[in-house]
Amino acid sequence: LTKLEDIEALLKNDEEKMIIVFNLGDHDASYDLPDGVWELFIDGNTAGTEPIRTEAGRVHIPPCTAMVFTRTL
């Protein structure tokens, strides 16, 4: 599978949800995650198959950064 297909497969999974947040601006931004605890897999410095950390509520998004969160239902 290509990377895009991997993402599409995960998005179609009824047992997990994914949120991808982009801050394309020059300033810090924040994003309010939906209820629950979310695992962060990609941030501005790190990406991998194991979670970097967990987040809940409002998250800080640095400038020019993408972040990928998943939550198991």
Side-chain angles (χ1 to χ4, degrees), residues 1-72:
L1 294 174
T2 66
K3 298 291 183 193
L4 181 58
E5 290 169 344
D6 288 343
I7 292 171
E8 289 173 354
L10 181 58
L11 291 174
K12 293 176 184 174
N13 183 340
D14 290 336
E15 297 176 4
E16 285 187 303
K17 295 296 176 192
M18 176 186 281
I19 294 177
I20 303 170
V21 180
F22 296 92
N23 178 3
L24 302 178
D26 295 332
H27 303 285
D28 291 346
S30 62
Y31 178 79
D32 292 322
L33 290 167
D35 290 340
V37 176
W38 293 82
E39 294 180 324
L40 176 66
F41 282 85
I42 299 173
D43 67 12
N45 300 310
T46 306
T49 59
E50 296 295 322
I52 299 166
R53 63 180 178 273
T54 58
E55 297 276 359
R58 181 167 287 186
V59 293
H60 167 79
I61 313 295
C64 301
T65 299
M67 300 178 97
V68 176
F69 300 90
T70 67
R71 181 183 69 172
T72 303

